[in-house]
Amino acid sequence: MVTEGVHLSNGGPREPLLEFDFTQEDMPRLRVLVDQYAAWAGLPEPRRGDFVLAADAVATNAVEHGGGSGRLVLHRSPGSPGALECTVSDSGPGFASSVIPELAPGLAGSHCGRGLWLTRLITDRLVITRGAGGGAAGAGANGVAGVGCDEGGAGASGGSGGSVVVFAMWLPG
C-alpha cells in the first residue's frame, strides 16, 4: 500500500532508535546498523531481513537520485500492533508515488523503480511525501525523472525540496 502525505504514527509518541546520515560509502554500515536495531526492537527473521532490504533499497535510491546523501531515522511506534518505522530523506528533486511501477520493473519495458516497487511489496506500510526545503530521507527516496530514471519522468514532482519515504513493519505481540 502506498499513501502520500499520511504519517504512519498511530497516535502515540514514537521512540527514536537510530539517526544516521549517509552517503554511498556508508551503505554497508547502514545495513548492519538497521539489522542490529531492528533485532533490538524485536523484529524477528525473516521479516528483519526484508526490513534491511527495504532500508537498503530506499537509501540507495536517495544516494543515486536524491543528491548523493540522505538521512535514515528508525523509530518504534507504540500501539497495537507496534511498528518499526524507517524514514529516509534526501535533498533531491522529489517524486510522487505514481512513479512506482505496478508490475515488476522490466516487465512493462521500464527498468525504473525496482527498489521502491520491492519496498512496497515487502513492507506493511509505505508513505511518500515531499521534504520541506530538502527533507530528511530518501524513505526514504529520489529521482530526476521519476525514480531517478531518464525515461520520461511521469509522476516526478519537479522543483526542489527532497523526498521523504517512510515504511513500516508491524512488530509481533
Side-chain angles (χ1 to χ4, degrees), residues 21-92:
D21 296 318
F22 61 88
T23 63
Q24 179 64 44
E25 294 77 29
D26 300 310
M27 295 306 292
R29 183 167 181 234
L30 179 141
R31 290 186 293 269
V32 169
L33 288 170
V34 169
D35 183 60
Q36 290 174 341
Y37 280 88
W40 182 84
L43 190 62
E45 286 292 354
R47 299 279 289 162
R48 187 168 69 242
D50 289 345
F51 191 86
V52 172
L53 180 62
D56 180 66
V58 173
T60 297
N61 209 25
V63 168
E64 291 180 0
H65 309 295
S69 65
R71 180 173 183 79
L72 180 140
V73 179
L74 292 182
H75 283 97
R76 183 167 37 190
S77 296
S80 181
L84 183 60
E85 180 178 295
C86 180
T87 302
V88 179
S89 57
D90 64 41
S91 59

Side-chain angles (χ1 to χ4, degrees):
M1 169 197 262
V2 178
T3 308
E4 289 190 330
V6 177
H7 197 273
L8 297 178
S9 178
N10 55 1
R14 297 179 313 151
E15 178 185 337
L17 301 175
L18 172 67
E19 297 182 33
F20 186 64
D21 296 318
F22 61 88
T23 63
Q24 179 64 44
E25 294 77 29
D26 300 310
M27 295 306 292
R29 183 167 181 234
L30 179 141
R31 290 186 293 269
V32 169
L33 288 170
V34 169
D35 183 60
Q36 290 174 341
Y37 280 88
W40 182 84
L43 190 62
E45 286 292 354
R47 299 279 289 162
R48 187 168 69 242
D50 289 345
F51 191 86
V52 172
L53 180 62
D56 180 66
V58 173
T60 297
N61 209 25
V63 168
E64 291 180 0
H65 309 295
S69 65
R71 180 173 183 79
L72 180 140
V73 179
L74 292 182
H75 283 97
R76 183 167 37 190
S77 296
S80 181
L84 183 60
E85 180 178 295
C86 180
T87 302
V88 179
S89 57
D90 64 41
S91 59
F95 70 100
S97 64
S98 61
V99 302
I100 302 173
E102 290 299 318
L103 296 175
L107 293 180
S110 173
H111 298 287
C112 299
R114 289 182 183 155
L116 292 171
W117 177 81
L118 182 62
T119 298
R120 182 180 62 201
L121 289 180
I122 63 176
T123 62
D124 295 322
R125 297 280 309 269
L126 176 63
V127 176
I128 299 169
T129 60
R130 292 271 305 189
N142 317 305
V144 172
V147 182
C149 297
D150 296 323
E151 296 181 12
S157 53
S160 62
S163 301
V164 178
V165 178
V166 183
F167 64 87
M169 288 190 172
W170 308 131
L171 294 168

